[in-house]
Amino acid sequence: MAKIVGITIGPIIETISESKKIYEIANASSFFSNIIYEFLCNIETDTYDIITPNFKDSDKCKNNNEKFYPDRVVLKVKDASRKEEEILKEIDGIYQNIVSNEKLIELKDYINFNIIVEELDEENIKKIFEHLDGIELIKNFSNRDEIKDIIKRINRYLENKKTLNKEFDVNFGMDNGNEESGYRAIIALDLDNMGKFSQKKLEETLEISEAVYRYIESLNKFISKKYDKKQEGLVLYSAGDDVLAILNPKHIFEFIEEACNKLNEIFSCFENRDLSVSFGIFICYAKYPIKEAIEKAHSLLFSKAKAIRNTASILIEKHSGQSVEINLENLIDKEEGKFNRNNNYFKYMKNSLSNGKSNSNDEENKERLLNAIVQKVSRDSFIFEAIINNSEKEKMIKSYLSELFDAKLEGKEQLEYLEKLLCSIEDKEKFSKEFRQILSFFRMLKFYVSRGKGEGR
């Protein structure tokens, strides 16, 4: 039997939820991450093995403000004969020394720092997370007025560290790219089927922890990279196997592909063929309340994408109030373990967004055609449904579309997409769902064309 220490800190989600500005959210996340970092720096590795997060002696005493540490820590006590009371006192002592800092003392009562010690077989170490799930239900909640004051205190505590402020320069938007206008994408990401990893030995658990860290770090670097010397994304929260971020909507398809490919690259040495990644992506106008935008991204992730798995659920809510929603399924080819390049919706969208700069007339013609596609195809859905089981449906669909549309050169590609997508519907049972997906695809494509007139993408 091994003595395992589980630690959880919070309330992160509640603090983030009451933050009204982007820089406040990032700072709230950084605040808890910073405490975990200082805690890990003070763990004696002669006494404890750090199982998760991935943390080495070389990480100590570095300026790690750009790195996020999760809200959970798991340690193995090297001397299993030590008494539980002694371990709890020692771990709590490390934490108390951290929060005795003059600037932290006024936040001490707000922080939930929970410690448990369990005796577990080494092959069952991951059961510690079930115990942490239970202990996290017991929290000290503050009223909203107090939380607002807490957020100000957090900002003051971080004022001498590398954090965001009201003047941060990040281009989230698709329009003129500033804080007050344009559209932005809120991304919630989580790995699927993590429980299917073999963790019968402590070494396996440590290897998986390190792989998760490398994977999440690679995504954070992608989100934070610069385009034309300007950053177009920001990580708000990154811990364990999930990420919350803001990104310019132009890059979400590139990000999805990157996340899928990195998953294969980093985890291919493990026996978990069911491993995949799911996304909840909410695209909204810049003045949309950030708290509500985050809630919608999480709802898309956990209510829709995670219900299917290996899926990106994307919702665009326009400034006018109109919305478009689509699910991009089967992102990773389970046989090859790589990004599925045969996903037509993804392939067609990415191709459309990577065609380079177009003149304004071409873009306006494309926008008119896309609008006509949505209107006419939606109007004539009963016709397509009637011929979908016909042995000559490809010929009939091609003929009917040629009657509906007078394709100019700049619209030829979109009509080819339409024809292929309609022909891919296999039978009437699947018609309703897949037809809605097709319409959503063209509404989404129209959104990108209308927002990016004249831009190089």
Side-chain angles (χ1 to χ4, degrees), residues 98-256:
I98 294 170
V99 293
S100 63
N101 177 291
E102 183 180 350
K103 289 187 177 181
L104 267 178
I105 197 73
E106 63 178 1
L107 291 162
K108 180 180 177 181
D109 292 337
Y110 178 72
I111 301 169
N112 290 307
F113 191 86
N114 303 304
I115 312 164
I116 57 172
V117 179
E118 297 287 341
E119 285 195 29
L120 298 168
D121 295 327
E122 288 211 358
E123 62 267 24
N124 291 320
I125 285 175
K126 62 183 179 181
K127 284 190 174 181
I128 192 69
F129 294 105
E130 296 176 13
H131 296 289
L132 289 174
D133 289 340
I135 202 170
E136 281 187 340
L137 298 175
I138 306 170
K139 298 178 181 178
N140 299 316
F141 289 104
S142 302
N143 61 53
R144 289 196 167 189
D145 289 335
E146 185 180 356
I147 291 180
K148 290 176 183 177
D149 186 52
I150 291 292
I151 292 167
K152 293 178 182 177
R153 293 179 190 178
I154 287 173
N155 291 336
R156 286 201 299 269
Y157 167 70
L158 294 171
E159 64 186 1
N160 294 323
K161 300 178 182 294
K162 186 178 178 183
T163 57
L164 297 178
N165 55 50
K166 294 180 181 179
E167 288 74 40
F168 69 93
D169 187 22
V170 183
N171 176 11
F172 298 127
M174 280 185 67
D175 291 344
N176 57 16
N178 60 45
E179 170 72 1
E180 298 301 328
S181 65
Y183 284 80
R184 59 174 59 132
I186 313 298
I187 300 174
L189 172 152
D190 190 51
L191 296 185
D192 306 319
N193 298 311
M194 285 290 290
K196 293 189 177 182
F197 278 115
S198 171
Q199 297 184 56
K200 293 181 179 179
K201 297 179 182 179
L202 177 61
E203 290 77 12
E204 291 177 326
T205 303
L206 291 169
E207 287 172 0
I208 292 166
S209 176
E210 183 176 0
V212 169
Y213 160 71
R214 288 192 288 117
Y215 178 69
I216 296 300
E217 185 180 46
S218 72
L219 300 187
N220 293 348
K221 286 180 179 178
F222 179 94
I223 292 166
S224 302
K225 72 180 181 180
K226 294 184 178 181
Y227 299 83
D228 296 326
K229 298 183 179 180
K230 194 160 188 177
Q231 192 172 324
E232 298 195 5
L234 178 71
V235 178
L236 297 178
Y237 174 76
S238 172
D241 59 351
D242 60 297
V243 171
L244 176 66
I246 303 181
L247 187 64
N248 190 314
K250 289 188 294 184
H251 307 304
I252 65 170
F253 300 100
E254 184 184 356
F255 175 70
I256 291 170

Side-chain angles (χ1 to χ4, degrees), residues 234-449:
L234 178 71
V235 178
L236 297 178
Y237 174 76
S238 172
D241 59 351
D242 60 297
V243 171
L244 176 66
I246 303 181
L247 187 64
N248 190 314
K250 289 188 294 184
H251 307 304
I252 65 170
F253 300 100
E254 184 184 356
F255 175 70
I256 291 170
E257 186 171 357
E258 174 79 2
C260 292
N261 284 329
K262 282 292 181 182
L263 198 70
N264 173 69
E265 177 185 321
I266 293 173
F267 290 95
S268 60
C269 59
F270 297 99
E271 291 296 326
N272 186 354
R273 297 299 297 271
D274 292 323
L275 184 66
S276 59
V277 59
S278 291
F279 309 78
I281 302 175
F282 180 58
I283 300 174
C284 59
Y285 198 63
K287 292 186 179 180
Y288 195 97
I290 187 65
K291 175 185 173 181
E292 294 179 23
I294 290 172
E295 289 173 353
K296 288 202 173 185
H298 276 129
S299 178
L300 287 165
L301 173 62
F302 292 107
S303 299
K304 299 193 176 181
K306 294 284 284 184
I308 305 169
R309 301 196 177 189
N310 196 18
T311 294
S313 292
I314 305 172
L315 172 64
I316 297 174
E317 191 159 315
K318 298 180 183 178
H319 194 219
S320 63
Q322 295 179 323
S323 62
V324 181
E325 185 173 347
I326 191 169
N327 287 326
L328 302 178
E329 301 179 18
N330 300 314
L331 295 174
I332 294 176
D333 185 322
K334 293 297 183 66
E335 293 298 320
E336 295 186 2
K338 297 180 180 179
F339 176 72
N340 182 9
R341 297 189 179 278
N342 294 320
N343 186 314
N344 285 334
Y345 290 110
F346 190 96
K347 181 169 62 178
Y348 296 160
M349 180 64 73
K350 193 176 179 192
N351 287 346
S352 296
L353 299 182
S354 60
N355 283 339
K357 189 172 182 178
S358 304
N359 64 56
S360 58
N361 288 335
D362 286 348
E363 295 292 350
E364 287 176 6
N365 287 335
K366 282 184 182 178
E367 188 177 354
R368 280 195 293 269
L369 175 62
L370 291 168
N371 192 51
I373 286 174
V374 171
Q375 289 182 350
K376 292 182 179 181
V377 172
S378 178
R379 179 196 66 194
D380 294 348
S381 63
F382 68 98
I383 295 175
F384 295 109
E385 185 174 12
I387 64 176
I388 212 66
N389 285 338
N390 194 291
S391 60
E392 294 189 342
K393 71 174 180 180
E394 289 84 359
K395 181 178 178 181
M396 296 173 73
I397 287 172
K398 184 179 184 69
S399 175
Y400 190 73
L401 291 179
S402 66
E403 294 292 327
L404 276 182
F405 303 102
D406 178 20
K408 295 183 180 179
L409 183 61
E410 61 272 12
K412 183 179 180 181
E413 183 180 57
Q414 283 69 39
L415 288 175
E416 287 177 352
Y417 295 160
L418 175 60
E419 181 183 334
K420 289 178 181 178
L421 289 171
L422 286 170
C423 290
S424 70
I425 302 177
E426 295 179 358
D427 53 52
K428 285 190 176 182
E429 289 184 5
K430 298 180 180 179
F431 179 84
S432 181
K433 177 185 174 182
E434 295 189 25
F435 191 76
R436 285 197 303 270
Q437 281 273 96
I438 292 170
L439 290 177
S440 292
F441 167 78
F442 283 101
R443 289 189 177 107
M444 184 172 290
L445 189 53
K446 178 176 177 289
F447 167 82
Y448 272 94
V449 169

Side-chain angles (χ1 to χ4, degrees), residues 84-96:
E84 179 179 331
E85 294 78 9
E86 180 186 351
I87 297 168
L88 287 169
K89 184 177 179 180
E90 185 172 73
I91 295 296
D92 185 62
I94 295 172
Y95 169 67
Q96 294 300 333

